[in-house]
Amino acid sequence: QVHLVESGGGLVQAGGSLRLSCVVSASRFIFNDMGWYRQAPGKQAPGTQRELVASITRGGSTRYVESVKGRFTISRDNAKNTVYLQMDRLEPEDTAVYYCNAVPTWTYWGQGTQVTVSS
């Protein structure tokens, strides 16, 4: 079973920054592409897909959804089984619960970390 523990969320004003961390208890971590997903308020109905906002391959190549390009940076530390998301110039539209998971996802999800951006 995989355990994912996200942290680092909080309340921040628009234009501010947060750094999210996710520790993954899976020996296969280093073999998987990893991503940060988010689920916005009111979009948590069963079956609603979480939005993949950033991903990083096991080799370190990154991809971002257009809305966060230039503002978010994903990174990973394979020695620590940890993936990070540096979020700068945050906007109210970034308000969501953020989760990390593999790409494509594993069955298990962590509890997520709430990010709230006030205007």
Side-chain angles (χ1 to χ4, degrees):
Q1 185 172 349
V2 175
H3 291 279
L4 305 106
V5 180
E6 300 93 347
S7 63
L11 172 63
V12 64
Q13 288 188 329
S17 298
L18 286 172
R19 188 190 193 212
L20 307 184
S21 299
C22 175
V23 179
V24 182
S25 64
S27 57
R28 53 185 158 152
F29 172 82
I30 63 172
F31 301 114
N32 280 94
D33 298 350
M34 295 296 299
W36 281 96
Y37 301 77
R38 67 185 179 188
Q39 198 156 30
K43 296 184 179 180
Q44 298 173 7
T48 301
Q49 286 192 331
R50 291 162 179 165
E51 178 186 29
L52 175 62
V53 296
S55 63
I56 184 167
T57 67
R58 56 186 180 177
S61 297
T62 59
R63 297 185 69 177
Y64 301 91
V65 69
E66 192 64 33
S67 61
V68 308
K69 279 183 181 177
R71 300 188 298 119
F72 290 9
T73 304
I74 188 172
S75 60
R76 65 190 295 166
D77 184 336
N78 288 337
K80 296 182 178 179
N81 274 27
T82 302
V83 61
Y84 304 97
L85 186 67
Q86 177 67 41
M87 304 188 296
D88 298 316
R89 292 185 282 135
L90 282 160
E91 302 171 353
E93 293 73 23
D94 296 318
T95 294
V97 179
Y98 284 74
Y99 304 85
C100 73
N101 210 309
V103 180
T105 63
W106 294 314
T107 302
Y108 304 99
W109 290 84
Q111 81 288 351
T113 186
Q114 175 71 50
V115 171
T116 304
V117 185
S118 63
S119 57

